[in-house]
Amino acid sequence: MKEEKELFSVGHRACAGCGEPIAVRAILNEAGPNTVAIVCTGCLEVVSTGWPETAWEVPLIHAAFENSASVASGIEVALRKLGKKDTNVIAFGGDGGTFDIGFQALSGMLERGHNVKYVCLDNEAYMNTGIQRCSSTPYGASTTTSPAGKYSIGEDRPKKPLAAICASHDIPYTATATIAYPEDLKKKVKTALETKGPCFLHVLVPCPTGWRFSSEKTVELAKLAVGTGVFVLWELRGSNFNNINITKKLKGRKPVTEYLKTQGRFRHLFRPEIKQDVIDKIQKDIDEKCKRFGVDL
Amino acid sequence: MVKITIRGNMATALGAKLSRPDVVPAYPITPSTLFPEKISEYIADGEMDAEMIRVESEHSAMSACIGASACGARVCTASASQGISLMSEMMFIAAGMRLPVVMAVGNRALAAPINIWCDHQDTISQRDTGWLQFYAEKNQEGLDLMIIAFKVCEDKRVLLPGMVGIDAFVLTHTLEAVDVPDQKLVDEFLPKYKPELYLDPSKPMTFGSFGTPEFYQEFKYAQVKAIEKASEVIDEVFAEFKKKFGREYKKIVPYKCEDADVIILTMGSMSGTARAAVNKMREKGKKVGCCKLTVYRPFPGKEIVDLTKNAKVIAVLDRDISPGFGGALYGEVAAQFINTSEHPLITDYIIGLGGRDVLIEDFEEIYDKSIETVKKGRVEKPVEWIHLNQEVL
C-alpha cells in the first residue's frame, strides 16, 4: 500500500461483497491525497456521502448523475488556473452514469483534452435504482426491465463497447481492469496519472445484489469474467487498436458457462431447461472477441 | 470612465471581463452567443486572464461552472431559452451547493413553437432554482448588474448563484452608449473571490452530500435564509456601487407613482416604453405611474406593497405565462396583499410573448382597462392578453 492512511475509509454503507469500494480504495490509495474526486449519482455516492458523514478522505464533489465528466472538466481547468496543476482529478461514474446518461459529457471531456482520469465502475445495470437494464448489461442477463420470461431471454442486445469508443477519441490512455487483479488495476491507475490528458479506465465491479451471487464470491466472479474472456484486460495508448496491449492473456480459456452458472441473473439460461442457443451465441461472441483481441495464448 | 457604443451582449461580456472571472464555461445559443464570442476574443487578444471551456452542451456548461466554482474560482457563463431549460437541473444544484456562479442571460421565449425573440419565460421558469435574478432595462444596466451580481452572490452572507437578464434582441443585439467603469475601481469594488470552503486536498471535505429526511429541510431552510439575506446585501451593494461609480440602482424603480391611481409594473426593456407612455398619459391628466423590477429574486414584495398600497389598481405586465394560472409576477404581487384587509385591485396583462413589440398604445389600453376596473370596483377578468391576433386563432 502506497499510502498509510486509507483515503476511502471504512464505515460506508455498501452491500457486503460490493466491488465498488474495493476498486475505489485501490485507486485512491494509488493516487494519494493530492487528489480531487468527482462522483456521479449512484450507489457509490449514496453509500459513501450520507451527510454529516463521508467515507472520502480526499476532497469530493457529487453534483448529478450524468455529469461527472463535465464537473471534472470545470475542476481541472479551475485548478490549473489557480496554480494547482499537480492535483489529480479523478472522476468516478457508474455504468449508467457513463455508458448511458453521462455519455455525451464524457465524450465532450475526452474530446476537449482535459487532464482528467475518468473511472467507470461497471456493475452492468442500474443497481442503485434496483437492477434495471443499461447499455452496459450483457446479452442474456435478466434485469428488472429486461426480465427473462416465456418470451424473453433477458437482455437481448450486446454490451456497448465503451472503452473502445473512448479510445477512438484518440485519448492518450485507455485501459480496462477489475478488482480481481488489483496490481494490474493499480498499475493502470499509475500509468493514467502519469499520462497527461484525458484517460479512461473501465473497471468491472461485480455486484452480488444485481448479479445474484453470494457476497463472498465477488473477487472470484471478477476473476471468472477475465478467465472466460467475458471481460478482457487491455490497455491502449492512442486510438490505433493494432497497438493494444492485452495485460492478461489466457492459457486454456474457461467456457463461459462457468461464469454464467454462478449468477442468478443468468439462471434462466439453465433452468428449467438449458437454452443452448443463447449460451452458444454468448460463447461464439466471446470466441470472436478473444480472437480479434489476441487474448488466447 | 470611457463611453462606448455596444450591443447588450457586449455589455454583459464587458461586465464579466471587468469582474475578472477565472473560468468561463459556455455554449453558444441565440441570442446570447456574442457573450462567449467576446470572452473568447478578450482571451485570444490577451485582454483577459481567464480560461474558457467550450463545452458540448448547456448542461455541461453549468456542470463545469459548478466544478470550477467549488474549487474557489470566480465563474461565469451565458445562456438563454432552451439552454437554460437544459441546464435547469444543474441550476438547482449550483444554488443548493451555495456556489456563486454568475450567468448573463439573453431573455428569450421557449419552444414550442420555437422562437428566438424576447420573452421572460426562460428565466421566470427558473425562479424556484434558488438563483438571484436581476433584469436590465438597458445595456448599461446589463454591464453594471454583472459586476453587482458577482459582489452580492459572493458575499459570505449570501453564497448563491445569480443571473442578469437582458431582453433578446431589444438589448442583446442593440447598440447603446454605455459608460465603462474603470478597471481599478472595479477591482476595489470587487476584490478577488476567496471562499472559506472549497475543494482543497489539504483540507478534504465532501460537497454535494446525500441529504436524508433528517437533514434535507435544514439545508433548504439555510438556503432560503441566505436568499432572504441577499435582499439586504443587494441594498448595501447598490449603495456602494453608487458611491463608487455614480449610478443608482434600486430593487424596484418607480416613476410618477406618488399620486397614481394606476400603477403599471414591468420588467426588462419594456420599462422605458412604460415611462414614455406614462409621460404621454400624464400630459392628458391621467393619474398613472409605472414601476420596474430590477430584482425579481429575492422578490421585492415589501417594496412593491409600500409603493402600491394606495393605488386603486396595480396592472401587472407579464412577459411570461404559467398556463392554467396567469403570469408569474401577477401571482407573486397578488400574494403580497393576501393578508391585508384593504388593497388595490390587481390585474394581469400577458404581453409581448415571443418578441411581439410592446407599444405605447398598449400601455394606454391597459390604463383604460384599469380605469374601467376602478369604475366597476371589481376585477372581472384577472388575466388578459394584449394584442391577440384573432385572425389566426
Side-chain angles (χ1 to χ4, degrees):
Chain A
M1 206 56 75
K2 197 170 165 186
E3 286 300 321
E4 285 194 5
K5 187 184 174 189
E6 288 288 343
L7 297 176
F8 191 77
S9 72
V10 295
H12 57 75
R13 295 166 173 82
C15 303
C18 175
E20 285 193 341
I22 303 173
V24 174
R25 184 171 159 242
I27 292 164
L28 288 185
N29 288 347
E30 186 58 38
N34 191 14
T35 299
V36 172
I38 301 96
V39 64
C40 83
T41 309
C43 288
L44 182 58
E45 160 264 325
V46 171
V47 303
S48 67
T49 74
W51 197 86
E53 296 166 342
T54 181
W56 298 76
E57 300 283 352
V58 295
L60 172 82
I61 185 168
H62 157 256
F65 193 7
E66 66 280 55
N67 61 353
S68 263
S70 40
V71 173
S73 302
I75 287 172
E76 185 261 341
V77 172
L79 291 175
R80 181 152 39 85
K81 179 68 176 65
L82 300 172
K84 302 170 191 170
K85 65 177 168 50
D86 295 331
T87 302
N88 303 315
V89 180
I90 304 181
F92 292 94
D95 43 305
T98 308
F99 282 67
D100 281 0
I101 198 168
F103 184 60
Q104 172 183 319
L106 173 65
S107 177
M109 184 278 284
L110 299 176
E111 171 277 318
R112 290 190 299 271
H114 292 283
N115 192 20
V116 169
K117 313 306 154 190
Y118 192 102
V119 179
C120 173
L121 300 168
D122 179 12
N123 55 23
E124 302 196 314
Y126 289 93
M127 299 313 185
N128 190 44
T129 43
I131 324 166
Q132 289 81 32
R133 180 266 185 205
C134 175
S135 62
S136 60
T137 303
Y139 180 82
S142 181
T143 73
T144 56
T145 53
S146 62
K150 198 172 170 188
Y151 300 102
S152 167
I153 59 148
E155 174 56 29
D156 63 356
R157 295 291 304 155
K159 187 182 178 86
K160 184 172 174 177
L162 186 68
I165 294 168
C166 290
S168 296
H169 286 69
D170 202 24
I171 55 174
Y173 185 70
T174 307
T176 65
T178 186
I179 48 143
Y181 299 94
E183 291 311 313
D184 176 74
L185 168 63
K186 286 195 272 183
K187 206 173 140 210
K188 286 167 176 170
V189 172
K190 188 164 181 281
T191 306
L193 290 168
E194 286 168 359
T195 305
K196 199 173 178 315
C199 300
F200 181 79
L201 294 181
H202 180 191
V203 183
L204 185 73
V205 285
C207 169
T209 313
W211 296 11
R212 286 181 277 147
F213 63 83
S214 177
S215 62
E216 77 279 9
K217 293 192 187 302
T218 306
V219 174
E220 196 180 315
L221 255 295
K223 213 167 181 170
L224 269 173
V226 175
T228 54
V230 165
F231 193 76
V232 178
L233 299 183
W234 56 268
E235 61 183 358
L236 177 64
R237 292 188 173 276
S239 58
N240 183 348
F241 282 83
N242 293 324
N243 299 333
I244 199 166
N245 177 28
I246 305 300
T247 55
K248 178 78 184 163
K249 294 212 175 192
L250 303 175
K251 200 173 165 183
R253 176 158 50 89
K254 292 177 176 154
V256 74
T257 45
E258 285 194 28
Y259 176 68
L260 302 176
K261 271 185 171 169
T262 52
Q263 302 170 58
R265 63 177 173 161
F266 295 114
R267 188 170 50 202
H268 58 286
L269 302 182
F270 302 93
R271 278 184 265 171
E273 72 280 341
I274 293 181
K275 293 194 178 60
Q276 198 58 48
D277 54 335
V278 178
I279 295 167
D280 287 348
K281 181 177 157 42
I282 294 171
Q283 186 64 63
K284 188 168 153 273
D285 290 348
I286 290 170
D287 293 345
E288 278 172 10
K289 183 174 70 182
C290 287
K291 197 176 165 197
R292 203 168 67 243
F293 277 72
V295 173
D296 298 314
L297 279 170
Chain B
M1 206 176 277
V2 188
K3 202 158 200 141
I4 56 171
T5 303
I6 51 174
R7 298 177 201 284
N9 278 328
M10 292 161 79
T12 48
L14 194 52
K17 174 178 174 264
L18 288 162
S19 305
R20 298 189 190 275
D22 299 296
V23 182
V24 185
Y27 188 80
I29 184 167
T30 302
S32 294
T33 308
L34 192 57
F35 182 101
E37 285 177 350
K38 285 310 288 182
I39 299 288
S40 303
E41 259 178 56
Y42 291 141
I43 295 170
D45 295 340
E47 286 179 43
M48 193 174 168
D49 179 23
E51 292 284 338
M52 178 109 186
I53 312 180
R54 286 102 182 159
V55 283
E56 82 297 333
S57 75
E58 289 91 353
H59 193 281
S60 282
M62 191 46 59
S63 302
C65 283
I66 287 168
S69 182
C71 291
R74 178 171 288 157
V75 182
C76 71
T77 187
S79 194
S81 184
Q82 311 302 123
I84 289 176
S85 295
L86 184 59
M87 64 169 68
S88 175
E89 179 197 24
M90 301 319 298
M91 289 172 66
F92 278 93
I93 291 169
M97 286 167 87
R98 309 293 299 277
L99 300 170
V101 175
V102 171
M103 173 157 62
V105 177
N107 281 111
R108 166 187 152 184
L110 288 175
I114 192 155
N115 173 296
I116 59 170
W117 292 277
C118 177
D119 193 302
H120 295 157
Q121 192 74 52
D122 52 358
T123 48
I124 291 288
S125 299
Q126 304 302 324
R127 64 191 163 149
D128 298 337
T129 53
W131 283 55
L132 277 64
Q133 290 199 3
F134 299 89
Y135 289 80
E137 180 195 325
K138 48 194 172 187
N139 292 352
Q140 182 74 61
E141 294 184 6
L143 190 160
D144 293 345
L145 287 170
M146 285 297 285
I147 301 167
I148 287 166
F150 277 110
K151 192 167 172 76
V152 174
C153 293
E154 291 175 4
D155 190 289
K156 284 187 176 61
R157 295 165 291 173
V158 179
L159 287 175
L160 286 169
M163 62 176 78
V164 176
I166 59 172
D167 283 350
F169 297 99
V170 181
L171 296 182
T172 58
H173 287 61
T174 302
L175 289 162
E176 276 187 336
V178 299
D179 282 325
V180 183
D182 186 61
Q183 181 70 64
K184 195 171 152 283
L185 293 181
V186 178
D187 290 345
E188 286 166 14
F189 177 77
L190 183 69
K192 212 170 159 42
Y193 173 48
K194 281 187 185 151
E196 284 172 14
L197 306 177
Y198 56 98
L199 295 167
D200 177 9
S202 68
K203 207 168 60 184
M205 60 183 74
T206 292
F207 278 58
S209 294
F210 185 58
T212 53
E214 300 102 291
F215 305 113
Y216 181 88
Q217 273 199 173
E218 286 67 27
F219 273 92
K220 287 295 131 186
Y221 183 76
Q223 192 186 322
V224 168
K225 286 285 137 195
I227 199 163
E228 285 172 8
K229 191 76 190 171
S231 184
E232 210 178 299
V233 175
I234 288 168
D235 286 336
E236 286 175 29
V237 173
F238 279 169
E240 203 184 325
F241 189 89
K242 191 190 172 194
K243 218 169 143 191
K244 198 98 189 158
F245 302 99
R247 283 185 294 279
E248 184 173 56
Y249 286 91
K250 295 273 179 202
K251 283 184 268 194
I252 65 165
V253 183
Y255 184 73
K256 299 193 176 173
C257 289
E258 295 80 9
D259 62 339
D261 290 334
V262 177
I263 295 179
I264 300 171
L265 293 186
T266 59
M267 280 164 63
S269 62
M270 70 163 86
S271 308
T273 317
R275 285 197 303 277
V278 164
N279 284 342
K280 193 178 168 195
M281 289 187 277
R282 282 278 177 179
E283 279 171 21
K284 293 175 191 162
K286 293 172 180 171
K287 284 167 82 178
V288 57
C290 62
C291 174
K292 73 170 173 183
L293 279 74
T294 299
V295 179
Y296 177 69
R297 279 292 182 275
F299 192 71
K302 188 182 169 299
E303 289 83 352
I304 291 172
V305 170
D306 288 347
L307 177 79
T308 57
K309 61 186 175 205
N310 297 323
K312 290 178 177 151
V313 173
I314 307 171
V316 180
L317 271 57
D318 268 295
R319 211 161 192 164
D320 63 85
I321 179 75
S322 178
F325 173 72
L329 182 58
Y330 163 67
E332 299 190 2
V333 168
Q336 305 305 314
F337 290 99
I338 195 73
N339 291 323
T340 57
S341 52
E342 281 186 25
H343 57 76
L345 298 170
I346 306 170
T347 51
D348 189 21
Y349 297 94
I350 308 300
I351 190 166
L353 299 191
R356 184 157 304 177
D357 285 338
V358 178
L359 308 171
I360 286 181
E361 299 89 271
D362 300 337
F363 289 96
E364 292 174 318
E365 183 187 336
I366 287 162
Y367 173 80
D368 292 343
K369 282 177 189 287
S370 301
I371 291 301
E372 280 302 304
T373 304
V374 175
K375 281 182 190 155
K376 283 178 191 152
R378 62 194 159 83
V379 176
E380 280 181 348
K381 207 174 168 192
V383 182
E384 280 196 59
W385 291 57
I386 297 296
H387 261 330
L388 272 184
N389 182 354
Q390 296 295 342
E391 280 177 27
V392 295
L393 281 173

